[in-house]
Amino acid sequence: MDPLELMRKIRKKKRMAAVAPYVDLAEDTMYGNGFDVEIRKPAMSGYKFLKIGSQCIIEGKFIFEKDSGHITVGNRVHIGGSTLISVNRITIGDDVTIAWGCLLYDHNSHSVSWNERKNDTVQEYADYKQYGDPIRNKNWSVVKSAPIVIGNKVWIGADCKVLKGVTIGEGAVIAAGSVVTNDVEPWSVVGGNPARFIKWVDDPKPQ
């Protein structure tokens, strides 16, 4: 085995052991090699950042940048090699498919105002050098966040971005490469940047 790959596996094993008290993972779900959990600000004892339901296939990476982050994944969900980043809340229903290369991000990460973000990189650099943690002293008060809700039976194609505050209704399909900035109607197909309505799903009420 390549020495760098071995080191990555050892670090991941240690990280997963450290986050074990903060996650609730169904035992009958399949967790692939790409599955990873990163909790940057551990919370109070007993707080569960991540809950994953039954009979899922999970290859995604879950990142929690604050102790307020929370992600819930329903049953029979397939998440490919995608990344979910939370400081607020991301809720994924049952029977959802999220392809590879997707990003679900429930916050802006930085302020839109230059005056409020002009020192972000300077602070990150200082924190990284001193603590090895670039967001140790991040000013979250100027960063907007809002929950993301993915309804049951949704299919999100490869390389999509779903931004803060978005609700995707039941059975909707998000075309590959889309950037979803607004709510999506149930049983609709949307695509593009920003994602717009394309058509209705053929059968809006499958058995």
Side-chain angles (χ1 to χ4, degrees):
M1 179 181 295
D2 178 74
L4 289 177
E5 180 64 21
L6 178 60
M7 289 177 63
R8 282 192 289 268
K9 287 188 174 184
I10 292 172
R11 285 198 295 266
K12 179 179 176 180
K13 186 176 181 179
K14 289 181 178 179
R15 184 163 62 249
M16 293 301 293
V19 304
Y22 302 103
V23 299
D24 183 2
L25 308 178
E27 293 184 0
D28 65 346
T29 278
M30 296 177 61
Y31 303 97
N33 291 333
F35 172 64
D36 199 2
V37 180
E38 183 177 339
I39 299 174
R40 297 180 177 174
K41 304 287 182 182
M44 66 188 77
S45 177
Y47 182 82
K48 300 297 184 182
F49 285 87
L50 175 64
K51 181 177 181 180
I52 295 180
S54 177
Q55 298 179 12
C56 299
I57 299 174
I58 306 294
E59 287 279 357
K61 182 174 184 179
F62 301 81
I63 299 175
F64 301 90
E65 295 185 320
K66 287 182 63 181
D67 58 6
S68 56
H70 184 77
I71 298 174
T72 301
V73 178
N75 301 315
R76 302 173 302 280
V77 173
H78 186 163
I79 300 178
S82 294
T83 302
L84 295 83
I85 305 177
S86 178
V87 304
N88 194 305
R89 179 175 292 269
I90 299 173
T91 304
I92 298 171
D94 298 332
D95 303 297
V96 171
T97 299
I98 300 176
W100 292 79
C102 295
L103 174 65
L104 280 66
Y105 214 127
D106 69 9
H107 61 290
N108 282 352
S109 190
H110 301 275
S111 171
V112 174
S113 168
W114 164 245
N115 285 328
E116 291 179 341
R117 73 171 188 274
K118 63 184 179 182
N119 292 320
D120 283 3
T121 301
V122 173
Q123 184 65 62
E124 290 170 3
Y125 182 81
D127 285 345
Y128 187 80
K129 288 201 72 174
Q130 184 171 358
Y131 306 107
D133 177 5
I135 62 170
R136 183 183 180 96
N137 293 301
K138 185 177 180 68
N139 179 15
W140 288 105
S141 68
V142 298
V143 177
K144 293 183 178 180
S145 71
I148 293 172
V149 179
I150 311 297
N152 298 335
K153 307 178 181 73
V154 166
W155 175 20
I156 301 177
D159 297 318
C160 288
K161 309 273 190 306
V162 180
L163 304 187
K164 72 178 193 309
V166 165
T167 294
I168 299 178
E170 182 179 52
V173 177
I174 313 301
S178 298
V179 178
V180 186
T181 60
N182 293 298
D183 291 352
V184 177
E185 291 287 334
W187 304 106
S188 67
V189 180
V190 303
N193 181 9
R196 300 185 186 280
F197 176 83
I198 297 174
K199 65 178 184 178
W200 296 107
V201 173
D202 292 338
D203 183 359
K205 295 180 180 179
Q207 297 300 315

